[in-house]
Amino acid sequence: MAVALRQPHRRGDCDQALGDALGRFVRAHGLRQELIDAGETYARLLRRWRLENAVPLFENRTSHGPAPDPLSRGENDDLRRQVVAMEMAMHRAGPDALAAVKRLAVEGKDIDGSQVRAAMDGLMALATHLRMVRAQA
């Protein structure tokens, strides 16, 4: 724990969310935990679909544990529909929203200041789509 707390991005804070780019972004901007959950859900489903369909993963993210059992064709199609629906919801939030969320949640990379609004909008659209938060009027 002492080693983890000395990492530059933690600055002595033991909040688990600070361990990756998505969590750091959400915490730095005072956003809701549901946005981390939505981003992690999207990243998990996208990675699973990529693994199932032999689409290369980003090299800086690794999988832990044994490979999951193969999906049936129907399950794979359903998974792809879920991923596409999430991506469409983020895309509707703005032209750069999907790219900003992918950078944070899937690639695990921090974003620059010009992408902050897009990432916030994309995460909120994603969380709303997943019914983790209520739609804003």
Side-chain angles (χ1 to χ4, degrees):
M1 179 60 89
V3 171
L5 292 176
R6 286 194 303 267
Q7 294 172 332
H9 59 272
R10 290 188 187 272
R11 294 188 179 91
D13 191 334
C14 61
D15 184 351
Q16 291 289 39
L18 298 176
D20 65 19
L22 176 62
R24 288 191 299 275
F25 175 80
V26 168
R27 292 295 187 256
H29 296 285
L31 304 176
R32 303 164 63 156
Q33 174 66 37
E34 290 89 349
L35 300 186
I36 294 174
D37 298 341
E40 289 175 346
T41 297
Y42 168 66
R44 180 177 42 80
L45 293 177
L46 180 61
R47 283 191 197 104
R48 177 66 197 265
W49 182 84
R50 286 178 172 174
L51 178 67
E52 194 68 30
N53 294 282
V55 176
L57 300 172
F58 293 97
E59 71 255 12
N60 66 333
R61 303 295 266 184
T62 58
S63 176
H64 301 286
D69 291 333
L71 298 175
S72 70
R73 183 176 178 95
E75 291 169 327
N76 190 21
D77 290 345
D78 184 53
L79 179 59
R80 181 64 188 150
R81 278 191 291 275
Q82 290 178 57
V83 169
V84 167
M86 288 186 277
E87 289 181 346
M88 289 176 68
M90 288 184 281
H91 183 70
R92 284 191 297 272
D96 299 324
L98 174 57
V101 172
K102 272 189 177 181
R103 183 166 174 86
L104 286 169
V106 180
E107 298 174 29
K109 296 179 181 176
D110 293 312
I111 60 172
D112 63 40
S114 69
Q115 298 172 306
V116 169
R117 174 64 11 202
M120 287 179 176
D121 292 347
L123 287 168
M124 183 55 77
L126 180 59
T128 302
H129 171 77
L130 294 171
R131 295 186 174 97
M132 294 178 171
V133 298
R134 297 177 93 201
Q136 297 177 346

